Amino acid sequence: MAKLRAKGLPWRSTLCGRTCGNSSISKPNASPMESMLDETVEPGSQGDPAVSLSDVQVRPEEIKEQLTEEDLDRRVDIYLTETETIWMLDMPSVVASVESEDAGRILERNKIYVDICKNRPGNDRFAEKMMQTINGAAKNKEVQCDKIVMEDKGVVVTSWDLYDSFNVSEIEPASKGEATNGKSSMSHTTKKHDQTASVTSARGNITSVTTLESAALARTHKKEENRLEAILTSEKFQQDLFFMERVLMENIFQPKLAAYRQFPVLIDPSVTSDNAGTVVAVKEAKQEEHDKGKKDKEEQKEALIDPSIPSDLNKPVEETVPPSLEQLWSYTCDLTQGLNVSSMAWNKVNPDLLAVGYGAFDFKEQKKGLACCWSLKNPMWPERIFQCEHGVTALDFSMASPNLLAVGTYSGTITIHNVQSSTTTAILNSRDSSESHTGPVWQLKWLEQDGNTAEDDKRERLISVSADGRLTKWLVQKELDCTDLMKIKRAGSEKKNLPREKERKSVVLISRQAAGMCFDFHPKDTNFYLAGTEEGLIHKCSCSYDQQFLETYKGHKGPVYKVAWNPFSTDMFLSCSADWSIKLWHQNSQTPILTFSSTTTVVHDIMWSPKSVFIFAAVNESRVEIWDLSVSILDPMITHSGNPEVKFTSVLFAKNTDCLLVGDSRGEVSVFELQNLAASSSTKVDALYDVISPALTT
């Protein structure tokens, strides 16, 4: 019995034939759609009597042959089975169980998605547009090297060269403990015969022989270099060199160092008797010449005496040698050439140790800075060298810990160095502090609080002033912590409108703070200090009150570069400025008492003498000046001009001697001896008042 399978039909589908009278025509090859149509509308059903034979249309190609009555009466069995399920669209469920492992992660993602949907409409950074990532263009990488040059080398070798080379190749393995071969027992005649017999073979071995000889020489040379390097790097050798260098410097600079320390110049005892006699003879000749000149001058004075004039009025005037500056030496080396000397400071315990800062004042030509520690025992090379990323603008030694050196730079960074250590790395750096200066640090000074302060405030502090308008107090602990003593505010304009003049518009300031340039604490009461600004003003401030100035001194028309209290008459102070002037002030008067202006150049630095209440030194761009107020208040007592291409930048008195140190723009610190100074070393408080009182009355 034939079995047919209907594909694509559900299991309830039936295959219906076409009815023609009482006969049934089956369509085994009918399509599913046609079968469904036949099932929907069955021609010849009992409920539709209107259907006739004419309504049934049969295509001739579907009936291939004529069926007989037997075929029509024959029973045909048709079996219908379920077809295979075909999935056209599969949408998996997005629902997860609360008890599943991923339930927490799914809830968190749903929460994040809800938050994103809420924030998207009001977010300014949200841009609803399509994005496309473009792959970067391919890059070609090429590697180049230096051209390899090939050269041909030739050498002429004699039999003696071959003999010496073979000896080296035989002796070298024996020295290393290797087994000797039979060649070592060959006689000189046999070796020479073999070498001369086969010239071609010997020439073939020239390369190997010369290589062995070169290797032996290289090993010997390397051993010698290692031995010399070990000697040079040994600690004892370095110490011996250090002392030898000190001895040589003492011998070279002995006369100048003796003049600096005000000692007599000694004669070398190793000089022979003839040389000693020559030296003595030269000295005697000079002394005789000096006595003769002095006698001639006295005779000339006696000739000018008039006998008719009384003896009291006829007394000759004694000649005095004018005071002067004599240069002894200069602290300079190759590292400091071309750098400006920005600041100098003596060590508080060792008076022979000087710290010098090097930098550049022009912000357009900034260079790396340098801080050097010079010693009188070696004026030709610094004892310590500290390299800085930016130019050094200020430095000072600590009083409580003399081995600590504070260095301020043009970038606003403050570093603390230990000069006892041979390492050049700073032990503390203000870059680690969030309150570091944002402008150049123009002055640094260590300060010890007086006895009236609390116990916590008696520790030594580092004070700095910067171009950012802050005068800051730093506490040196495990790191640098700071607090602001004063934020220097700009002074308002006091100009008034003239008659019939339009109303002035208010000036909008970029910053309310004025750049601080310098400061100086009172010698007796460290609670008070002076602060000079770029506006030309000098403010008197108190450490106990940081909101307002106590006094404001007006007189300068340019930036104030230095203020200095008189160490003896503590009510007086000096100031110098870019307006070419030096002014003397009294703390109770807001106008200057005296103004000193000798040149038309910028005055960079001033300093009171540590031995006299009247004397102070000043440096401008063209010369060094020594003023003695007991001699004159109009002109300096000593002037020293330098090279026109060199500008003087800083000045410093020596502590224990009559010497002056002057720094310039080419990196030199010149040491001068003050000669023939008048005996005006008064340190009385009222002495300065007596001198300037005539100027006050006029």
Side-chain angles (χ1 to χ4, degrees):
M1 180 179 292
K3 296 182 180 180
L4 299 178
R5 175 178 295 179
K7 297 182 179 180
L9 295 177
W11 66 276
R12 289 186 179 181
S13 300
T14 57
L15 185 61
C16 301
R18 297 181 184 273
T19 307
C20 183
N22 294 326
S23 62
S24 176
I25 300 174
S26 65
K27 296 175 62 179
N29 295 327
S31 62
M33 187 58 66
E34 292 175 353
S35 301
M36 292 174 66
L37 291 175
D38 293 342
E39 183 180 14
T40 305
V41 181
E42 295 181 1
S45 60
Q46 296 179 1
D48 189 7
V51 178
S52 61
L53 184 59
S54 60
D55 296 331
V56 179
Q57 298 179 2
V58 180
R59 288 179 292 181
E61 62 269 17
E62 293 181 357
I63 303 175
K64 297 182 180 179
E65 59 182 3
Q66 190 67 27
L67 298 176
T68 61
E69 293 181 0
E70 295 178 357
D71 295 334
L72 295 175
D73 295 336
R74 188 173 50 192
R75 182 178 176 180
V76 177
D77 296 332
I78 299 174
Y79 296 94
L80 302 178
T81 60
E82 185 179 358
T83 60
E84 183 180 358
T85 303
I86 301 175
W87 296 94
M88 303 300 294
L89 177 64
D90 185 12
M91 296 182 65
S93 175
V94 294
V95 179
S97 175
V98 180
E99 298 178 356
S100 62
E101 297 179 356
D102 297 336
R105 181 176 57 84
I106 294 173
L107 291 174
E108 186 66 24
R109 289 183 58 188
N110 292 343
K111 183 179 180 182
I112 294 173
Y113 180 74
V114 171
D115 295 339
I116 292 174
C117 293
K118 289 180 180 179
N119 296 331
R120 283 179 63 183
N123 193 351
D124 295 337
R125 297 183 179 181
F126 174 72
E128 188 174 359
K129 61 181 180 180
M130 300 298 294
M131 301 299 292
Q132 183 177 5
T133 303
I134 301 175
N135 295 328
K139 297 180 180 179
N140 296 327
K141 294 184 179 179
E142 298 179 357
V143 179
Q144 296 180 352
C145 63
D146 296 337
K147 182 180 178 180
I148 301 175
V149 181
M150 305 294 292
E151 294 183 359
D152 295 334
K153 297 292 184 181
V155 64
V156 178
V157 181
T158 63
S159 59
W160 294 277
D161 296 330
L162 294 174
Y163 176 74
D164 295 337
S165 300
F166 274 113
N167 279 341
V168 171
S169 62
E170 291 174 0
I171 293 172
E172 187 68 23
S175 62
K176 294 182 179 180
E178 297 180 356
T180 58
N181 51 20
K183 294 182 180 180
S184 61
S185 61
M186 295 174 64
S187 63
H188 174 75
T189 305
T190 306
K191 291 180 182 179
K192 187 173 182 181
H193 174 73
D194 294 340
Q195 293 167 4
T196 55
S198 56
V199 178
T200 305
S201 175
R203 288 181 179 177
N205 295 329
I206 288 174
T207 305
S208 61
V209 172
T210 54
T211 303
L212 292 173
E213 184 178 3
S214 301
L217 294 175
R219 283 192 292 269
T220 305
H221 184 66
K222 187 175 182 180
K223 290 179 181 179
E224 186 69 18
E225 285 184 349
N226 294 336
R227 188 175 67 86
L228 292 176
E229 185 178 359
I231 294 174
L232 293 175
T233 56
S234 63
E235 184 177 356
K236 187 178 185 305
F237 184 76
Q238 295 290 334
Q239 187 177 7
D240 294 341
L241 284 179
F242 177 76
F243 289 120
M244 182 61 67
E245 185 182 24
R246 289 285 180 88
V247 171
L248 291 176
M249 292 299 105
E250 290 287 344
N251 291 336
I252 294 172
F253 291 92
Q254 195 275 333
K256 298 180 180 180
L257 291 175
Y260 177 86
R261 300 182 186 275
Q262 299 177 355
F263 292 157
V265 179
L266 302 177
I267 300 175
D268 191 354
S270 62
V271 179
T272 59
S273 59
D274 296 337
N275 293 337
T278 304
V279 172
V280 172
V282 171
K283 287 187 175 182
E284 290 178 354
K286 289 183 178 180
Q287 185 66 26
E288 290 178 359
E289 184 178 358
H290 178 71
D291 295 341
K292 184 178 180 181
K294 186 176 180 180
K295 185 177 181 181
D296 294 339
K297 290 181 180 179
E298 290 178 356
E299 291 177 355
Q300 293 175 2
K301 292 178 183 178
E302 291 177 357
L304 296 174
I305 296 175
D306 190 355
S308 62
I309 301 175
S311 59
D312 295 340
L313 301 177
N314 213 359
K315 187 177 181 180
V317 179
E318 296 182 359
E319 284 190 4
T320 58
V321 180
S324 62
L325 289 176
E326 182 181 355
Q327 184 173 357
L328 300 178
W329 71 85
S330 295
Y331 290 113
T332 181
C333 63
D334 296 338
L335 297 176
T336 63
Q337 291 181 359
L339 298 175
N340 286 309
V341 177
S342 59
S343 57
M344 299 181 291
W346 290 109
N347 188 275
K348 302 302 188 296
V349 174
N350 184 4
D352 295 343
L353 187 61
L354 174 70
V356 182
Y358 302 88
F361 295 129
D362 189 0
F363 72 95
K364 294 181 180 179
E365 298 179 358
Q366 284 300 309
K367 303 176 183 178
K368 289 188 176 181
L370 197 67
C372 297
C373 294
W374 295 89
S375 175
L376 290 176
K377 298 177 182 178
N378 187 3
M380 298 184 66
W381 192 259
E383 299 289 328
R384 293 288 185 269
I385 300 172
F386 303 103
Q387 300 282 351
C388 302
E389 297 180 0
H390 302 87
V392 176
T393 53
L395 49 76
D396 191 31
F397 275 107
S398 171
M399 291 181 287
S401 302
N403 60 311
L404 297 183
L405 176 65
V407 178
T409 62
Y410 193 86
S411 63
T413 304
I414 298 175
T415 56
I416 308 294
H417 297 271
N418 184 7
V419 298
Q420 285 185 341
S421 175
S422 58
T423 60
T424 59
T425 306
I427 59 176
L428 291 175
N429 197 319
S430 66
R431 286 183 300 183
D432 302 333
S433 175
S434 59
E435 300 296 331
S436 180
H437 287 298
T438 58
V441 179
W442 291 122
Q443 189 173 353
L444 283 174
K445 190 173 183 180
W446 295 87
L447 180 67
E448 286 185 348
Q449 299 293 336
D450 53 16
N452 297 329
T453 57
E455 291 294 333
D456 296 338
D457 295 335
K458 286 186 178 180
R459 290 176 293 181
E460 187 181 33
R461 283 166 169 77
L462 179 65
I463 310 299
S464 64
V465 66
S466 172
D468 60 2
R470 296 165 52 205
L471 202 142
T472 308
K473 176 173 63 176
W474 299 84
L475 181 60
V476 180
Q477 294 178 338
K478 294 183 179 179
E479 58 183 13
L480 287 176
D481 297 329
C482 69
T483 56
D484 291 337
L485 290 177
M486 177 65 70
K487 292 184 178 180
I488 306 173
K489 300 178 182 179
R490 291 184 180 272
S493 177
E494 297 182 357
K495 293 182 179 180
K496 297 181 180 180
N497 296 333
L498 298 175
R500 297 181 183 179
E501 186 180 5
K502 295 181 180 180
E503 184 178 356
R504 297 178 183 268
K505 295 182 179 179
S506 59
V507 180
V508 179
L509 301 177
I510 298 177
S511 175
R512 297 297 302 174
Q513 296 181 2
M517 303 298 295
C518 56
F519 67 91
D520 192 23
F521 280 80
H522 196 273
K524 292 185 177 180
D525 189 358
T526 57
N527 191 43
F528 299 100
Y529 61 91
L530 300 171
T533 66
E534 192 178 24
E535 296 178 300
L537 304 177
I538 302 173
H539 303 294
K540 182 180 179 182
C541 309
S542 173
C543 295
S544 303
Y545 188 63
D546 60 353
Q547 299 297 325
Q548 192 174 0
F549 308 127
L550 301 181
E551 296 285 347
T552 298
Y553 305 96
K554 302 177 182 179
H556 286 294
K557 306 236 176 349
V560 179
Y561 288 150
K562 189 69 175 292
V563 291
W565 289 99
N566 192 305
F568 306 105
S569 181
T570 55
D571 290 335
M572 302 286 186
F573 65 91
L574 280 174
S575 64
C576 65
S577 171
D579 61 0
W580 312 340
S581 67
I582 304 170
K583 296 184 183 297
L584 179 66
W585 306 78
H586 191 280
Q587 66 173 347
N588 296 330
S589 176
Q590 295 184 358
T591 57
I593 299 174
L594 294 175
T595 299
F596 313 98
S597 181
S598 59
T599 59
T600 57
T601 55
V602 176
V603 184
H604 285 289
D605 197 5
I606 53 173
M607 185 178 183
W608 286 102
S609 171
K611 295 184 177 181
S612 174
V613 71
F614 305 109
I615 299 176
F616 67 89
V619 289
N620 49 53
E621 293 185 351
S622 59
R623 65 184 187 179
V624 183
E625 298 177 351
I626 304 295
W627 290 78
D628 190 348
L629 301 183
S630 63
V631 177
S632 174
I633 60 174
L634 300 177
D635 298 313
M637 178 181 58
I638 302 174
T639 59
H640 175 80
S641 300
N643 191 342
E645 298 179 356
V646 179
K647 298 178 182 179
F648 296 110
T649 57
S650 57
V651 65
L652 182 67
F653 275 101
K655 288 187 175 182
N656 302 325
T657 63
D658 293 333
C659 291
L660 186 72
L661 280 71
V662 179
D664 56 32
S665 59
R666 63 184 176 185
E668 292 188 8
V669 178
S670 302
V671 181
F672 294 94
E673 181 186 6
L674 297 171
Q675 294 183 341
N676 305 318
L677 282 179
S680 61
S681 59
S682 175
T683 59
K684 295 181 180 179
V685 176
D686 298 333
L688 187 58
Y689 287 97
D690 298 338
V691 171
I692 65 174
S693 57
L696 295 176
T697 56
T698 57

